[in-house]
């Protein structure tokens, strides 16, 4: 049974790292300090856009519809400055030089393959249970950075790709014991 009065308020933690696996790892593997992108601004947005095809009869009436394509993307504004995270969103080459005491992200303009990343957003509900959004994607839409008289935000969009058969993205919601019992009883 769903609570028709449940309204979600609040932000989420965002995790992101380069991904080359054949299946989505367990939450404990994804949700680590190393993968946490840090503070975010403007929340986390998921856009799902199916392409629908309508079959019409001789009178122009729709008699059947089907989804022929699905596109999903995630957008966020990252506040925590980290060049390594920015490299995940681009073809930029990230290097660290201990001797020269410098980090660099170099865009070569040579048109390389985009990095494949796993991105996860975790929202904790008022009851302590979590909602997780997971997607494997690429940052082909780039990012924007504005150095202004306010906090610097790295606004990025990651587009989902079908790297794992049968998986484009997922939402997972943890249930309380009462919520789980209601499913079994139904």
């Amino acid at each position: 049974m769903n609570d028709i009065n449940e309204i979600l308020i609040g932000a989420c933690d965002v995790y992101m790292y380069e991904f080359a696996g054949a299946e989505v790892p367990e939450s404990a593997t994804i949700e680590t300090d190393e993968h946490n992108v840090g503070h975010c601004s403007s929340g986390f947005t998921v856009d799902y856009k199916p392409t629908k095809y309508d079959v019409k009869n001789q009178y122009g009436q729709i008699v059947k519809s089907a989804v022929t394509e699905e596109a999903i993307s995630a957008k966020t504004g990252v506040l925590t400055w980290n060049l390594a995270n920015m490299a995940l969103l681009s073809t930029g080459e990230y290097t660290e030089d201990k001797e020269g005491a410098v980090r660099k992200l170099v865009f070569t303009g040579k048109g390389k393959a985009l990095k494949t990343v796993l991105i996860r957003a975790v929202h904790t509900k008022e009851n302590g249970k979590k909602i997780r959004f997971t997607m494997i994607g690429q940052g082909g839409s780039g990012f924007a950075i504005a150095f202004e008289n306010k906090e610097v935000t790295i606004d990025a969009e990651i587009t989902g790709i079908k790297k794992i058969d049968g998986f484009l993205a997922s939402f997972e919601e943890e249930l309380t014991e009462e919520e789980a019992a209601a499913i079994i009883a139904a």
Side-chain angles (χ1 to χ4, degrees):
M1 180 170 153
N2 289 324
D3 180 358
I4 63 170
N5 295 312
E6 183 173 32
I7 297 172
L8 302 177
I9 297 175
C12 61
D13 292 314
V14 178
Y15 303 88
M16 182 173 61
Y17 63 95
E18 195 161 357
F19 181 76
E23 60 185 37
V24 176
E26 296 294 321
S27 293
T29 302
I30 298 169
E31 297 167 25
T32 65
D33 289 342
E34 179 185 355
H35 299 147
N36 191 319
V37 300
H39 297 286
C40 293
S41 174
S42 306
F44 186 88
T45 304
V46 175
D47 287 322
Y48 171 73
K49 296 178 182 169
T51 300
K52 188 177 128 194
Y53 177 76
D54 294 326
V55 177
K56 295 181 181 182
N57 66 13
Q58 70 272 27
Y59 304 108
Q61 300 162 328
I62 298 172
V63 294
K64 186 173 184 172
S65 294
V67 172
T68 57
E69 294 179 34
E70 293 178 291
I72 195 160
S73 64
K75 297 177 189 171
T76 192
V78 179
L79 287 170
T80 303
W81 183 260
N82 184 332
L83 285 176
N85 283 342
M86 291 169 57
L88 293 173
L89 303 168
S90 67
T91 60
E93 296 174 2
Y94 174 73
T95 58
E96 294 179 330
D97 179 359
K98 185 177 180 179
E99 301 294 321
V102 67
R103 293 183 183 120
K104 286 184 182 180
L105 181 59
V106 177
F107 300 92
T108 64
K110 294 182 180 178
K112 300 178 180 182
L114 290 164
K115 295 167 188 76
T116 299
V117 298
L118 185 142
I119 188 163
R120 158 125 348 134
V122 181
H123 172 79
T124 303
K125 300 189 316 183
E126 288 180 21
N127 64 10
K129 297 298 181 181
K130 296 180 179 182
I131 296 174
R132 291 177 171 93
F133 171 78
T134 308
M135 182 181 78
I136 298 167
Q138 295 176 324
S141 296
F143 55 82
I145 302 172
F147 290 90
E148 301 173 334
N149 264 348
K150 60 181 188 170
E151 67 277 5
V152 174
T153 304
I154 303 153
D155 292 317
E157 179 177 359
I158 298 172
T159 303
I161 62 170
K162 191 172 178 182
K163 178 162 177 61
I164 298 174
D165 188 37
F167 182 86
L168 189 57
S170 69
F171 281 98
E172 175 184 288
E173 180 179 9
E174 294 178 345
L175 302 177
T176 63
E177 290 180 19
E178 296 81 16
E179 290 169 328
I183 291 173
I184 295 169

